[in-house]
Amino acid sequence: MGTVTKALSLLSFFAPDRPEIGLSDLTRLSSMNKATVYRLMGELQAAGFVEQGEGDRAYRLGPQVLHLAALREASTPILSVSRRILRELSDETGETTHVSLGHDSWVQTLSHAYSPRHATKVTMEDAQTVTYHATSSGLAILAYADPQFVDSILSQPLKSHTSKTLVDPDLIRSKLEQIRQTGLADTLGSFELEVHSHAVPIFGADHRAIGALAVAAPAARMPAAQQDIIRAALRRAGAALTHRIGGRPPADYPQCAAP
Amino acid sequence: MGTVTKALSLLSFFAPDRPEIGLSDLTRLSSMNKATVYRLMGELQAAGFVEQGEGDRAYRLGPQVLHLAALREASTPILSVSRRILRELSDETGETTHVSLGHDSWVQTLSHAYSPRHATKVTMEDAQTVTYHATSSGLAILAYADPQFVDSILSQPLKSHTSKTLVDPDLIRSKLEQIRQTGLADTLGSFELEVHSHAVPIFGADHRAIGALAVAAPAARMPAAQQDIIRAALRRAGAALTHRIGGRPPADYPQCAAP
DNA sequence: CGGGTGCGGTTCATTATTTGAACCATCGGT
DNA sequence: ACCGATGGTTCAAATAATGAACCGCACCCG
């Protein structure tokens, strides 16, 4: 494990519910030597990737990450484009929508939009890290990922978030097959009970799935007619997002027909 | 220079006009050894900070930077807050507005908003890197920075972007003194000819200036009355942004009175 | 064709950096 | 005054980074 990888892995301990981390906590979390963490964080700080609080000297993410994100947005504007699409999709469906990106072994939510239509809604936080196997977004991505990538995900221990989470790799594989039939994934309560979630994959220029667009709604608000509306809207929005970021669906992706 | 710092410095060669860089180019830009660059970029890639294009194998910034930015936004939402404020400020003034963050030796623009009122306007790109001494934003930050930080900036060679750029440290220092009188900076053509730019500093929780909010307009469209409108709107917007991100102006910052 | 040039990628002995146990200073609670 | 935290520092030993040279492959051009 190279020094750079070690330093960058320290950044992965920041999370929405843990935005600030002290030196000792960080050494425990990372199980590295305290002096090592101290020096690495010092370098990250000098580069602006983290900054230190005044009082407790806890570390938090620094302004440089905003700059890099703005830079990436300037060339491949996923965020700004998806924000508009999320807004429209939320208005259209009346439910909470979000985009996520697929990473090595988890899925990260990037941005979300709420609808004012209903008082009860699924609430979210940006920058949440969720699993592939338990979310509709994750499954949508997996369904169009390399087989070896699917293997690597499914060979890890699969956490059972709820009583309805699929944890059997074979069952998940057949679910992925179903998803490929329709080009659309849905899960009912597999990540959070009473949440019915639909998702479509988002493709990059190389025809590979890079992320997903999803609609999450309370399970009680999901009669068949509403599901059809959501599915159609999601398909359209997904195609639009893929297109707007310069991506292309693979040849076998179901274009318009929807069973 | 630590290995981590070296790796992170590689990321700083990405810019709006250079979103993709090949291995050889990066080697030349960084004046490091090719093998070193290759290994470091490999580590950055494994961590998701950069990704490699299919055809030419050029590197570009990866999805992980979006995740980190979303994470920082979740705790200190500068971007999402400033977007709304920029929108309002653009509508109010009829001109191009933008926010920037101050870094070690340069200023980085983060986000901007245009006004549809005029056909001719100042155009911008996000994630641009500009100098402290030649921009109203940079001067607004410097005016409220530590004296030793001002020294370190002004002791570097100061590039003359246009014929009107201030490059004499003494002149700049007296300009900073003027800015402190009013709490507002303005430059006329010092970064780009024919652009009249106003800026106010944005403060963090520790009373230090962390960035600036600015209005940039064609110089021809700047009669005294319009300047007053812009100054008043900018002051209000700056105070609002500082407040919304949990910041506080220093005690000596001119609160409401405007000469 | 054929050779020159630039590209991404790889090797391996040399070298410089990283590592980690132990240590120090300081704070807050008991 | 003590105890157990915290952030920060030290230095010999161990490890990882380095860089000149090399490889194979496109592409270009005479």
Side-chain angles (χ1 to χ4, degrees):
Chain A
M1 191 171 176
T3 314
V4 177
T5 303
K6 255 179 245 180
L8 295 179
S9 77
L10 287 174
L11 296 178
S12 69
F13 294 105
F14 292 96
D17 56 330
R18 207 199 286 121
E20 297 203 345
I21 315 182
L23 176 60
S24 298
D25 282 341
L26 206 45
T27 62
R28 271 187 294 273
L29 286 167
S30 63
S31 49
M32 294 180 194
N33 186 281
K34 188 173 54 162
T36 304
V37 173
Y38 179 68
R39 195 174 40 77
L40 294 179
M41 291 308 282
E43 290 200 66
L44 288 174
Q45 186 176 23
F49 277 70
V50 299
E51 56 188 13
Q52 240 177 331
E54 303 299 300
D56 52 357
R57 311 223 149 160
Y59 297 99
R60 55 170 177 261
L61 290 171
Q64 188 66 25
V65 303
L66 298 181
H67 174 239
L68 293 178
L71 210 40
R72 176 170 161 122
E73 275 293 296
S75 55
T76 28
I78 302 192
L79 263 179
S80 56
V81 167
S82 65
R83 246 186 286 272
R84 211 170 322 149
I85 288 181
L86 285 175
R87 184 71 269 132
E88 293 169 6
L89 188 58
S90 265
D91 291 344
E92 197 172 354
T93 61
E95 301 291 354
T96 301
T97 58
H98 57 102
V99 271
S100 317
L101 291 187
H103 281 71
D104 283 357
S105 51
W106 48 73
V107 176
Q108 286 165 342
T109 67
L110 257 195
S111 183
H112 70 273
Y114 293 133
S115 166
R117 193 183 301 173
H118 304 286
T120 66
K121 64 187 73 161
V122 179
T123 57
M124 304 212 44
E125 285 206 74
D126 287 342
Q128 255 183 318
T129 297
V130 298
T131 52
Y132 269 103
H133 68 284
T135 59
S136 60
S137 298
L139 293 171
I141 298 171
L142 277 191
Y144 292 92
D146 300 334
Q148 66 179 54
F149 180 72
V150 177
D151 292 343
S152 77
I153 296 293
L154 296 186
S155 61
Q156 295 167 4
L158 300 176
K159 182 181 171 188
S160 187
H161 294 83
T162 74
S163 57
K164 292 185 175 178
T165 307
L166 288 184
V167 290
D168 179 344
D170 291 336
L171 284 178
I172 293 175
R173 278 177 208 281
S174 71
K175 174 116 193 165
L176 294 182
E177 186 51 49
Q178 285 173 36
I179 294 170
R180 275 188 289 268
Q181 303 283 324
T182 61
L184 193 145
D186 83 305
T187 58
L188 210 173
S190 76
F191 185 68
E192 195 100 45
L193 278 173
E194 299 306 318
V195 171
H196 196 153
S197 192
H198 289 82
V200 289
I202 302 302
F203 299 98
D206 52 357
H207 307 265
R208 281 181 31 244
I210 57 173
L213 183 64
V215 177
R221 206 149 64 208
M222 269 292 166
Q226 172 70 352
Q227 285 190 35
D228 289 344
I229 291 173
I230 285 181
R231 288 196 160 105
L234 199 45
R235 253 181 249 276
R236 243 181 297 124
L241 182 50
T242 290
H243 179 254
R244 288 291 304 279
I245 63 173
R248 302 261 206 93
D252 63 338
Y253 186 70
Q255 293 289 358
C256 295
Chain B
M1 189 170 173
T3 315
V4 177
T5 303
K6 254 180 246 179
L8 296 179
S9 77
L10 288 174
L11 296 177
S12 69
F13 293 107
F14 292 96
D17 55 328
R18 206 199 286 121
E20 296 203 346
I21 315 181
L23 176 59
S24 297
D25 281 342
L26 205 46
T27 304
R28 273 186 293 273
L29 285 168
S30 62
S31 51
M32 294 180 194
N33 186 280
K34 188 172 55 159
T36 303
V37 173
Y38 178 69
R39 195 175 39 76
L40 294 179
M41 291 308 282
E43 289 200 68
L44 289 174
Q45 185 176 24
F49 278 71
V50 299
E51 56 188 13
Q52 240 176 333
E54 302 300 300
D56 52 358
R57 310 223 150 159
Y59 296 99
R60 55 172 175 258
L61 289 170
Q64 188 66 25
V65 302
L66 298 182
H67 175 239
L68 292 178
L71 209 41
R72 173 164 164 128
E73 275 293 295
S75 54
T76 26
I78 303 192
L79 262 179
S80 56
V81 167
S82 65
R83 247 186 286 272
R84 211 171 322 149
I85 289 181
L86 285 175
R87 182 73 270 132
E88 293 168 6
L89 188 59
S90 266
D91 291 345
E92 197 172 355
T93 60
E95 301 291 353
T96 301
T97 58
H98 58 102
V99 270
S100 316
L101 292 186
H103 280 72
D104 283 359
S105 52
W106 49 74
V107 176
Q108 286 166 341
T109 66
L110 257 195
S111 183
H112 70 273
Y114 292 133
S115 166
R117 192 183 303 174
H118 305 285
T120 66
K121 65 187 73 163
V122 178
T123 58
M124 302 211 47
E125 285 205 73
D126 287 342
Q128 254 183 317
T129 297
V130 297
T131 52
Y132 269 102
H133 68 283
T135 59
S136 61
S137 298
L139 293 171
I141 298 171
L142 277 191
Y144 292 92
D146 300 333
Q148 66 181 54
F149 180 72
V150 176
D151 290 344
S152 77
I153 295 294
L154 297 186
S155 61
Q156 295 167 4
L158 301 176
K159 183 182 170 188
S160 186
H161 294 83
T162 75
S163 57
K164 293 185 174 177
T165 307
L166 288 184
V167 291
D168 180 345
D170 291 336
L171 284 178
I172 293 175
R173 278 177 207 281
S174 72
K175 173 116 192 164
L176 294 182
E177 187 50 49
Q178 285 173 35
I179 294 169
R180 275 187 288 268
Q181 303 285 323
T182 61
L184 194 145
D186 82 305
T187 57
L188 210 174
S190 77
F191 185 69
E192 194 99 46
L193 278 174
E194 299 305 319
V195 171
H196 196 152
S197 191
H198 290 82
V200 289
I202 302 302
F203 299 98
D206 51 357
H207 307 265
R208 281 181 31 245
I210 57 173
L213 183 64
V215 176
R221 206 149 65 208
M222 268 294 165
Q226 171 70 351
Q227 285 190 36
D228 289 344
I229 291 173
I230 285 181
R231 287 195 160 106
L234 198 46
R235 253 181 250 276
R236 243 182 297 124
L241 183 49
T242 290
H243 179 254
R244 289 290 305 279
I245 62 173
R248 301 260 205 92
D252 62 340
Y253 186 70
Q255 293 290 358
C256 296

